[in-house]
Each structure stands twice: as structure tokens, then as C-alpha cells.
Amino acid sequence: MNQGISKTTERPLFDRSSSQDSLDELSMEHYWTEVEDIKKANENRQDQEIVVVKEPDEGELEEEWLKEAGLSNLVGESSGDPHESMVFLSTLTRMQAAAVQKRVETVSQTLRKKNKQYQIPDVRDIFAQQRESKEVVPDGTESQSVRTNENKYQEKDDHAPSLAVGEKEMIPSEETPVPETDINLEVSFAEQAVNQKEYYKDKPKTQSTDATLPNFRLPKDKTGTTRIGDLAPQDMKKVCYLALIELTALYDVLGIELKQQKAVKIKTRDSGLFCVPLTVLLEQDQRKIPGTRIPLIFQKLISRIEEGGLETEGLLRIPGAATRIKNLCQELEAKFYEGTFNWESVKQHDAASLLKLFIRELPQPLLSVEYLKAFQTVQNLPTRKQQLQALNLLIILLPDANRETLKALLEFLQRVIDNKEKNKMTAMNVAMVMAPNLFMGHPLGLKSNEQREFAMAAGTANIMHLLIKYQKILWTIPKFIVNQVRKQNTESHKKDKKAMKKLLKKMTYDREKYEKQEKNANDADVPRGMIRVQAPHLSKVSMAIKLTEELKASDVLAKFVSQESRVAQVLKKGDVFLYEIGGNIGERCLDDDTYMKDLYQLNPHAEWVIKSKPS
């Protein structure tokens, strides 16, 4: 269990009566009740596993950061292609480059202190090309370092309330209507933060006391919204590198320290259900059901809760009996994979307690050892919009197994909230109950005083609320990051073409023949203003389609599905998707509202293929 990170500390129960003058104790009642329930449950669980978190030495944090950002060959010895790093660096925004440069400088100074023998590059050489190059983003628009119009959309509702002790308005209201606010995914979040700081620099500082969560929305993007899971693995890897750099740049701009942690010693079980790493669970489950992405026990517990009806009052809040939970755990461990466990005997509140226990007892937290503190620190960002932006990047950075399981959890929690009129579990109530299970038992500032502990509790409950409310936005890959990936792919292809042409010249091949083959296959048989769409698994395997201003991806799919038989139509709708493949992207699944002409102009050398999503 993740007890080893923090469960070595037994916090004194919070004396709520002593703080009634300074805090809205009723709004936090569910949180502290859950904390007490967790502590009672832990008294009956002695077989908890240990996770030891290493505090990094000087320079180690930055060195590990560069490795996680795919830039380890900028310092020290590395087998990576330096040209690839230069291509990568050439696509960074001003603030992203500054974040990288800061870490390279720290590592270089540390290596010099340690008298390393190999040559250490001068950061001025590494970043020379950033200063010399024109600042143009991949889609040809002006650099993101140029002042944007983002500031004029700043709403007072966007400011996050202070979590300082003494304020009543810590917990967001769910009743007050608020205007919808667009969330800008086209401009780097760090660049937006710089512009906002400049905008408010000469304005009087005011502390917002309105804790209502804004109704953020994603503006329609004609080239299509990209969600996690839509990109090929090679491009998703680049997205993760960029997300880490962007998150760090955002925290740097806002003057907040971003510290990653590393689990260096983990004592875990290699089989079973509870206290077992997600990756081990999924390996077990995939032997039973290939393609499983969310642990089967996790799915079954949610299913059992839902079978009892989501209208049950106090669902998730009312705990099951501790002795019964302990016995159920033992029985599940013995019988779950044999298929002999009697699920009819599990009461609904017991299933909910088992679900929360499963989350708490993961050897590494669901939000990951590396980024748990970063999730906690989100509460310190000054505006709701910046908190949302940081959470968006952190979701991208989670390991696949953690992200998929978290998504299933948040979707389930939203279904519980949808029945709040009957079960009395509002979004904030659910957040209060679930926050201790995701955050408690991990480094929450262990030597904190009572006041800080309460502020941290309110902060993590707010983060939980944000995760639930904005989950659809949080699983979106920002367009500016997708554009940076397109730029990297374009530059890499240029390098590959140069190498191929040089090779062909040496081998005395007909250069004109090569250049003819190099043209997109679609150009040979498709008239101008049309695209050829391939559908190898449908009865109509290929079709030339005219590009119009209004043509969407859903229209293209409809043209193919309409060619199928009635039975096939039912099977194919929602099972197949239109993909953009090649050109300046590896592979991208298109959302239905993608305007094909706009996307074609962004990636004219792509191929268009209808197929199902990989499992």
C-alpha cells in the first residue's frame, strides 16, 4: 500500500470545534469524517506495502527532468541523436525554451562541481538557434511570445479563491450561475500566463472571494479536437515530452516550485487484487481478457455499486462495516479470478468502501509518485483557468494505466453526481469524500500544523472537484502542443529526405523518378479539390470525396456507412473512425466535427483512412 510514503505519520484527529470562527466547518464535515473512517479501516489492515521516496541530490532533479523531457543528451553522455534534440528545441516556445535552459544550466554547474571528465556543452550554444530563428509556430501564425488577446477574456470568475485559513469561501458553490468562459488551447499556457502578468502588472491587486467554478468550454476548432488516445504512440511520446516542459514553464512563470519525486524502493505483491501495482493487475487481467485497460476488480466494484442504484442516499459517504470489509477482501483475493466469488452477498456500501480501499492501497498512488505533489500544488495557482491548464498537462503525463483508471473513476463519480437530487451527493460532497482516498497517505506536508492541514484538506478537495467537473476538457491535448508535434515531424522528414537524396545520388538512381514517387499517392488519381478516403475493412474500400467548406469527418463516415447493409450499418456506427495518417502527423483519429478542408490545408500530404480504434 502507499502507506510507506506517508502513513508513517498518524495525524491527530482534527478538532473542528476549535476552528469554527475561522472556517466553514460544515462544508468540510464529509472530508474529516472520511479521514476518520480511513484511519479506522487502516487499524484492521496490517499487510500494507512500502514505497520509499528518494529526496534527490543537487542537480539530480534537473537531470531526471531532462531525461523525462527526452533531452538527456543535452548534458552528459547519451546515445540519442543530437539532431533530433535540435529539431525538438527549435519548436519550443519562448517560455518552454527558458524552462529547458534553466535545467540545463543547473545540471551543467553540478557536473562541473563533480569534475566530470566528458565535455559539458555550453547552454549558450544549445539555445543559440532559438535566439536566431524566427519565432513562428507550426501553423504559420505569429509566435506565442507575442502578446495575445487572451487578457481581454479574463473573467473575475476565473480567479481562484485564496485557501488561506480564515476565509469562508474556500469551497466552490454549485448553485450560483456563471457565464461560460472559453479555454484557449491554441496558445501556450505559459505564454498566456506571462501576458496575464503583464496585463495586471499596473492594476491594483484584489483578492477574489467568489469561489464558484467557471463553466469553461472548448471553442470549436475546425481542424478537430485531439483527445488523449487519438494519436499514434510515437506522437504521444512527443506530446508527453512537451507537456512536461510546458507544465514546468507555467510553474516557473508563476513562481511556483514543481518538484517531481521518484519511488526508488517498492515492496509490492506480484499477484492478487489489493496492494498490487496497476501494471501487475493489468498483466493478470489481460491473460483472462486480452486488451483490458482498466483492472477487472475495479470495473466489477463500480458495476456492483451501480447495480444497487445510484439514487441511494449517502452513496460513497456511508462506510461499510470494517470487519465485513476485511473478510470480503480476503474472500475476493481467494475467489475473484476463479470466478467463484458470490457478488450477490456484497452490500452496496461495502462495494463503495472496497472501491476506495482499492485506490488507497495501490503501492503507488493513482496520481503517481512522480506527480502527486504537482497535483497538490495546483491549488496554489492564482486562477481557475491556470489550475485547469496545469491539471490538463498533468493528466497527459500520467502513465497509461493510471490515466485510464482515473478516467473510469471520474466518469463513475459524475454518474453518482447526476443523481444528487436523490442520493444527496453533490459534486463537492463527492469531492470531499474521494479526496482523502486519492491524496491522504501521501506527502501532504507531514509536519504541518493544524491550520496548514485544514488548508491542504480544502485544497485537495477543490482539486478533486476540478477533476470531476472538467474531466472532458482535461482529456484534451492542447492544439499548440499538437502543432509543435507537427512541426517536429515536418523537420524530421526534411532531414530524412535530405539523407535519402544523398544516398540516391551516390547510388546513381534516377532522381526524378524518386521525386515522382515521393509525391502523395492521392495526387496521382484524385482531381484537385478532392481527397481519396480508404476503408479497407468496409464493403466500399475507397472513395474520392470533394472538399467543401462544410464537409465534416462525420459526413465522410456517413457516405461509407450508407453503402453498407442495414445490419452492417448498426455495427459500424461508432465502431469505425476517420483517421489522418502521415504527412506532418503519425496518425490521428478525427472527431466528428473536424472540417476536412481546413485539416487538408494544414496537412495536405496526409492519407485518409477509415478503420476501428486499436484495443
Side-chain angles (χ1 to χ4, degrees):
M1 174 176 172
N2 30 26
Q3 304 288 44
I5 297 183
S6 67
K7 294 222 168 45
T8 53
T9 63
E10 283 294 329
R11 291 188 198 154
L13 292 180
F14 189 81
D15 181 8
R16 287 184 287 277
S17 61
S18 67
S19 61
Q20 194 153 358
D21 292 337
S22 61
L23 290 162
D24 183 359
E25 69 173 79
L26 289 176
S27 63
M28 294 296 296
E29 183 71 30
H30 297 324
Y31 184 99
W32 296 110
T33 300
E34 185 70 16
V35 169
E36 291 171 24
D37 290 340
I38 290 171
K39 289 182 178 180
K40 287 176 185 174
N42 288 341
E43 292 171 2
N44 296 314
R45 301 281 292 173
Q46 301 301 324
D47 56 341
Q48 295 153 356
E49 306 298 335
I50 302 299
V51 177
V52 178
V53 177
K54 182 179 182 296
E55 288 298 325
D57 296 329
E58 182 186 8
E60 282 186 351
L61 191 68
E62 290 77 9
E63 198 167 353
E64 184 64 27
W65 185 92
L66 288 167
K67 181 180 176 183
E68 292 294 320
L71 294 170
S72 55
N73 56 7
L74 293 185
V75 291
E77 297 169 326
S78 174
S79 58
D81 183 356
H83 182 270
E84 286 298 316
S85 291
M86 289 301 127
V87 167
F88 184 87
L89 291 169
S90 71
T91 66
L92 299 184
T93 66
R94 177 186 56 170
M95 300 316 302
Q96 288 174 349
V100 174
Q101 184 166 353
K102 182 179 177 182
R103 274 79 197 164
V104 171
E105 286 173 345
T106 301
V107 175
S108 297
Q109 288 168 7
T110 304
L111 292 177
R112 287 192 182 94
K113 285 179 186 176
K114 292 179 179 178
N115 296 316
K116 294 287 186 182
Q117 297 302 309
Y118 49 81
Q119 185 179 2
I120 300 163
D122 192 310
V123 292
R124 290 170 296 184
D125 298 332
I126 294 173
F127 289 95
Q129 93 181 62
Q130 267 69 46
R131 292 192 295 273
E132 293 167 5
S133 65
K134 292 180 180 178
E135 294 185 338
V136 177
V137 292
D139 60 357
T141 60
E142 289 185 20
S143 165
Q144 295 168 356
S145 63
V146 178
R147 188 179 184 86
T148 69
N149 291 325
E150 178 69 10
N151 301 308
K152 68 184 181 183
Y153 300 110
Q154 293 298 327
E155 305 278 353
K156 75 180 181 71
D157 293 319
D158 181 35
H159 288 277
S162 168
L163 292 181
V165 175
E167 291 199 9
K168 292 262 185 182
E169 292 81 12
M170 285 199 295
I171 309 306
S173 164
E174 298 183 43
E175 305 301 329
T176 310
V178 293
E180 290 194 335
T181 305
D182 285 351
I183 188 84
N184 187 343
L185 298 183
E186 297 194 16
V187 177
S188 157
F189 299 155
E191 300 293 342
Q192 291 181 40
V194 169
N195 294 334
Q196 182 172 306
K197 283 178 75 174
E198 292 174 0
Y199 179 78
Y200 286 110
K201 186 169 59 179
D202 300 322
K203 291 178 169 49
K205 292 183 179 179
T206 58
Q207 178 61 56
S208 172
T209 58
D210 182 2
T212 304
L213 292 184
N215 285 324
F216 286 121
R217 66 182 177 192
L218 290 175
K220 289 294 182 184
D221 179 3
K222 284 201 154 190
T223 59
T225 300
T226 307
R227 295 185 62 76
I228 294 171
D230 286 349
L231 295 178
Q234 67 268 28
D235 282 341
M236 193 59 200
K237 190 175 181 180
K238 295 171 187 173
V239 166
C240 289
Y241 290 156
L242 289 162
L244 175 57
I245 295 171
E246 178 65 21
L247 179 68
T248 308
L250 177 62
Y251 275 52
D252 283 354
V253 169
L254 298 173
I256 295 172
E257 188 175 20
L258 175 65
K259 275 197 172 182
Q260 285 176 264
Q261 292 186 298
K262 197 77 175 174
V264 294
K265 182 184 178 184
I266 309 174
K267 179 189 172 186
T268 60
R269 301 171 61 196
D270 55 8
S271 64
L273 298 176
F274 296 89
C275 305
V276 179
L278 280 176
T279 49
V280 174
L281 273 172
L282 288 173
E283 285 172 9
Q284 290 177 172
D285 293 347
Q286 286 164 2
R287 286 195 287 269
K288 289 183 71 71
I289 304 178
T292 300
R293 303 174 74 172
I294 300 160
L296 294 177
I297 180 63
F298 190 84
Q299 294 183 51
K300 185 59 184 176
L301 287 170
I302 288 177
S303 174
R304 182 61 188 156
I305 296 167
E306 294 189 318
E307 284 170 10
L310 295 179
E311 300 87 4
T312 306
E313 187 169 338
L315 188 60
L316 296 175
R317 177 174 56 79
I318 298 174
T323 305
R324 203 162 56 233
I325 298 301
K326 183 179 179 181
N327 292 336
L328 284 170
C329 282
Q330 294 171 349
E331 198 175 343
L332 277 165
E333 293 280 9
K335 298 180 179 179
F336 178 74
Y337 284 116
E338 292 178 1
T340 57
F341 181 78
N342 179 18
W343 283 100
E344 296 299 320
S345 67
V346 181
K347 299 177 185 296
Q348 191 180 34
H349 290 307
D350 290 350
S353 291
L354 286 167
L355 180 71
K356 292 186 287 184
L357 181 68
F358 173 87
I359 294 167
R360 291 197 307 275
E361 293 203 343
L362 288 170
Q364 294 197 30
L366 188 57
L367 299 178
S368 80
V369 168
E370 290 81 2
Y371 295 109
L372 181 66
K373 274 200 169 181
F375 272 97
Q376 294 164 359
T377 310
V378 165
Q379 65 179 302
N380 298 328
L381 302 187
T383 71
R384 289 291 184 209
K385 188 174 290 185
Q386 287 163 349
Q387 291 175 355
L388 184 60
Q389 291 167 341
L391 287 175
N392 181 200
L393 297 169
L394 283 165
I395 294 296
I396 291 171
L397 288 168
L398 285 177
D400 290 346
N402 297 58
R403 192 194 306 118
E404 293 286 343
T405 305
L406 177 63
K407 187 172 188 288
L409 174 65
L410 295 177
E411 288 172 347
F412 163 67
L413 296 180
Q414 185 57 57
R415 293 195 294 273
V416 172
I417 293 162
D418 290 342
N419 290 273
K420 64 185 177 184
E421 297 301 326
K422 292 185 177 178
N423 61 32
K424 310 302 181 189
M425 295 300 289
T426 64
M428 203 60 226
N429 287 343
V430 170
M432 288 287 179
V433 169
M434 294 306 299
N437 292 282
L438 267 75
F439 291 99
M440 187 186 172
H442 305 293
L444 290 178
L446 299 179
K447 296 180 181 178
S448 62
N449 58 33
E450 189 178 272
Q451 287 188 335
R452 177 169 170 75
E453 182 173 338
F454 194 89
M456 184 66 75
T460 55
N462 278 325
I463 294 165
M464 194 73 226
H465 192 182
L466 294 172
L467 288 169
I468 297 168
K469 181 176 176 67
Y470 298 123
Q471 55 186 283
K472 289 184 180 178
I473 293 176
L474 294 177
W475 261 257
T476 304
I477 302 175
K479 184 178 180 179
F480 72 88
I481 288 182
V482 177
N483 281 342
Q484 287 179 290
V485 171
R486 290 184 188 276
K487 177 72 171 175
Q488 287 176 33
N489 290 339
T490 299
E491 294 300 320
S492 295
H493 292 163
K494 284 180 184 175
K495 176 201 168 190
D496 294 341
K497 286 177 184 177
K498 282 182 182 177
M500 181 61 75
K501 285 178 181 178
K502 194 178 283 186
L503 178 65
L504 291 173
K505 192 173 182 181
K506 284 181 182 177
M507 298 173 71
T508 66
Y509 270 73
D510 183 353
R511 194 168 169 184
E512 285 184 11
K513 183 179 178 183
Y514 166 71
E515 289 176 347
K516 203 170 186 180
Q517 290 173 345
E518 190 185 47
K519 288 184 179 179
N520 192 297
N522 293 341
D523 296 343
D525 61 345
V526 179
R528 189 178 182 84
M530 300 187 78
I531 56 171
R532 178 161 296 282
V533 180
Q534 310 288 339
H537 302 297
L538 300 182
S539 53
K540 182 78 173 179
V541 296
S542 177
M543 191 186 299
I545 296 176
K546 186 176 181 180
L547 290 171
T548 65
E549 296 293 337
E550 300 304 317
L551 182 73
K552 295 183 181 181
S554 57
D555 301 325
V556 175
L557 281 169
K559 287 178 186 291
F560 277 84
V561 172
S562 66
Q563 303 287 323
E564 303 290 297
S565 67
R566 281 187 180 274
V567 175
Q569 282 185 40
V570 174
L571 293 174
K572 299 301 177 183
K573 285 176 183 175
D575 291 339
V576 292
F577 302 87
L578 179 58
Y579 279 78
E580 166 196 10
I581 300 176
N584 56 32
I585 204 80
E587 181 175 292
R588 175 172 169 251
C589 181
L590 304 184
D591 78 71
D592 286 346
D593 290 330
T594 303
Y595 285 82
M596 298 305 298
K597 187 172 183 179
D598 293 84
L599 182 57
Y600 175 80
Q601 290 168 349
L602 180 63
N603 190 7
H605 300 298
E607 295 183 9
W608 313 98
V609 179
I610 293 175
K611 61 175 186 170
S612 58
K613 272 193 175 182
S615 59

